[in-house]
Amino acid sequence: MMTNDNPELERWLELEDLKYRASLIQCRIQAGYTVEDIAKAMGRTAAAVVTVEDFDSDPHLSTMRRYSAAIGALGQHRVTALPEPESDGNESTPE
């Protein structure tokens, strides 16, 4: 069920996105690549790569995939269904 009334879940998902991006940036730095190196490999400008690395931006998944390829890293995603909320016992049952 799609719901937008779960701010805790929204915040958790945002934090997971930030951790994913931070891991990629850390890999780039550890590999010794500059922003300019990655821009060239991605066929983008250095400014575009800086925007990807800006935590206030929201890059497309395809952009993150190209970034991963440019730094030689494998970015993995996993999907887990959320459990149905438990009933509080106050819901009426149709008769």
Side-chain angles (χ1 to χ4, degrees):
M1 165 166 62
M2 177 77 170
T3 179
N4 292 330
D5 61 352
N6 191 338
E8 290 178 23
L9 175 60
E10 288 294 322
R11 184 67 184 138
W12 186 84
L13 292 170
E14 289 172 12
L15 289 173
E16 288 300 306
D17 286 348
L18 291 174
K19 288 192 289 187
Y20 176 71
R21 199 159 357 149
S23 295
L24 289 173
I25 295 166
Q26 183 178 10
C27 284
R28 173 186 66 77
I29 293 167
Q30 287 177 341
Y33 294 123
T34 66
V35 167
E36 291 78 12
D37 296 331
I38 301 310
K40 185 175 180 181
M42 291 177 67
R44 301 286 193 254
T45 65
V49 174
V50 168
T51 298
V52 167
E53 292 187 352
D54 181 354
F55 289 115
D56 288 330
S57 69
D58 189 13
H60 291 130
L61 184 56
S62 58
T63 301
M64 298 313 299
R65 188 172 49 245
R66 284 191 301 275
Y67 184 100
S68 296
I71 65 172
L74 174 62
Q76 296 180 323
H77 308 277
R78 72 174 183 273
V79 177
T80 305
L82 295 174
E84 289 294 322
E86 293 184 20
S87 172
D88 62 6
N90 292 329
E91 298 169 0
S92 62
T93 313
E95 294 182 28

